[in-house]
Amino acid sequence: MIFHERELIHKELLTQKNKNRSIGLVPTMGALHQGHLTLVARALRENDVVVVSIFVNPTQFDNTRDLDKYPRTLVEDTKLLNKFEGTILIFAPEPRELYSGKVRAKRYRFGGLEHQMEGKYRKGHFNGVGTVLNLLFRAIEPHKAYFGEKDFQQLQIVKKLVAIEKLPVKIIGCKIVREPHGLAMSSRNKRLTPAQFKEASFIYETLLEARRRFPTHSIAHVQFWVEERFRNNKTLRLEYFEIANVKNLRTAIRKRKGNTYRAFIAVFAGEVRLIDNIALN
Ligand code: PAF
């Protein structure tokens, strides 16, 4: 069943909640792939009713060309979701409907998380993400909401958002789903040429080698090695590679005992921006 209006889905969910049914939410921007479908499958296992929101959120794009080019495939997405057994409600509102008028981001402070990596390179991005998720959480009032670890920084920010807005929802992070050659699944992969798609396995190969080197080499060495490797790649342009402390996502300069680190990467293949990350210890 597909809903375009907040009031109508809210009414339907109220009926479900009155029957004591639990609600899971999988927020997406559509162009669904196996990564999303894995989240939906898990949400269906853990809830009676699953809402999949499909909404390309204008306020989280710092680049209008990227927003215009973002794939919109509601008909195909609906067909994919209809293949599941279980109760799935699709929520696909227009921007003015979800935002109740002015499509504008609220300003958030996520304890500094918003200034790291994606926050540095995509100005205002996390205000947009926080705003739209706050609206979705309030419209749906889910018990649980599911997010992929490909957007690991986003996942940490969503946990902060829920605390800031005092929302009674449990945030569940799910493992990255990859193409057979290693590229992390993403809606943006649809925009890659076959040659770019093939070459993009280089990103995960780099992360795996960075993880292999991490225990025996300094952070500076791993950083230099990655940057050097990309300098010689004609298809992919490195935007950033960072090793960060998982607790605060601050760039790590030196390894410290007892800390947990993760490597984060953003790469351009032509105009298409791809991100990925990996646990290092
Ligand atoms: O990860 C995404 O697809 C988006 O950032 C999200 C969480 C659906 C918010 O628009």
Side-chain angles (χ1 to χ4, degrees):
M1 222 188 312
I2 179 154
F3 295 84
H4 299 286
E5 280 149 39
R6 264 192 335 182
E7 209 178 301
L8 294 185
I9 194 158
H10 199 263
K11 212 165 139 204
E12 170 62 26
L13 288 167
L14 215 59
T15 314
Q16 300 285 353
K17 282 176 197 156
N18 284 340
K19 293 183 197 159
N20 262 337
R21 302 225 164 108
S22 59
I23 314 291
L25 170 66
V26 180
T28 83
M29 298 207 295
L32 301 182
H33 51 69
Q34 196 49 46
H36 294 119
L37 301 182
T38 306
L39 299 183
V40 173
R42 173 152 180 204
L44 277 170
R45 283 198 303 276
E46 297 180 358
N47 301 275
D48 300 313
V49 177
V50 171
V51 177
V52 179
S53 62
I54 297 183
F55 180 72
V56 181
N57 174 33
T59 64
Q60 70 186 75
F61 286 81
D62 61 337
N63 176 335
T64 46
R65 209 175 142 72
D66 193 23
L67 171 63
D68 292 344
K69 292 247 165 172
Y70 202 88
R72 288 157 171 90
T73 57
L74 185 58
V75 174
E76 288 89 332
D77 292 346
T78 307
K79 279 189 199 149
L80 284 172
L81 294 172
N82 283 342
K83 288 188 186 153
F84 282 98
E85 276 180 26
T87 310
I88 296 186
L89 310 181
I90 300 172
F91 182 41
E94 285 299 317
R96 291 176 68 81
E97 168 67 21
L98 184 61
Y99 278 78
S100 316
K102 271 223 161 86
V103 182
R104 225 187 356 217
K106 196 169 159 179
R107 275 173 183 250
Y108 282 103
R109 287 198 185 154
F110 295 114
L113 289 176
E114 73 278 22
H115 301 310
Q116 309 303 322
M117 298 175 293
E118 290 300 286
K120 261 186 251 165
Y121 289 88
R122 302 182 71 189
K123 287 277 166 261
H125 172 66
F126 288 120
N127 281 330
V129 171
T131 304
V132 77
L133 288 175
N134 183 36
L135 291 169
L136 286 169
F137 289 147
R138 289 183 191 279
I140 308 298
E141 297 179 341
H143 298 95
K144 293 180 183 166
Y146 298 79
F147 294 85
E149 283 187 347
K150 181 177 78 69
D151 299 288
F152 190 86
Q153 187 176 6
Q154 169 174 279
L155 175 59
Q156 307 314 310
I157 282 187
V158 177
K159 289 180 183 163
K160 268 261 152 50
L161 171 77
V162 163
I164 293 169
E165 295 282 1
K166 299 188 174 56
L167 296 162
V169 52
K170 185 168 180 208
I171 302 302
I172 298 179
C174 304
K175 294 245 162 313
I176 299 175
V177 181
R178 298 184 178 279
E179 298 287 352
H181 72 342
L183 175 66
M185 288 203 181
S186 161
S187 304
R188 289 193 164 86
N189 294 357
K190 289 196 168 82
R191 291 175 55 203
L192 297 171
T193 65
Q196 287 169 336
F197 179 80
K198 188 160 177 260
E199 187 58 27
S201 62
F202 187 86
I203 301 168
Y204 187 49
E205 283 159 21
T206 305
L207 289 181
L208 286 175
E209 181 58 24
R211 183 174 69 183
R212 204 185 64 73
R213 290 180 183 227
F214 184 74
T216 49
H217 294 77
S218 68
I219 288 182
H221 162 92
V222 179
Q223 182 85 30
F224 180 79
W225 177 81
V226 170
E227 287 171 2
E228 194 54 28
R229 190 167 145 82
F230 272 92
R231 258 191 280 281
N232 299 318
N233 189 303
K234 300 223 157 46
T235 311
L236 305 172
R237 180 170 67 78
L238 182 66
E239 185 173 45
Y240 69 77
F241 171 84
E242 284 195 19
I243 291 178
N245 187 331
V246 169
K247 228 181 350 185
N248 50 24
L249 298 188
R250 289 213 190 112
T251 311
I253 312 287
R254 230 169 281 117
K255 291 182 250 180
R256 286 187 201 282
K257 250 201 169 147
N259 284 349
T260 307
Y261 298 97
R262 218 167 166 102
F264 296 83
I265 196 165
V267 170
F268 278 98
E271 276 195 338
V272 184
R273 190 169 182 277
L274 304 167
I275 60 169
D276 202 348
N277 66 85
I278 196 166
L280 294 175
N281 62 341

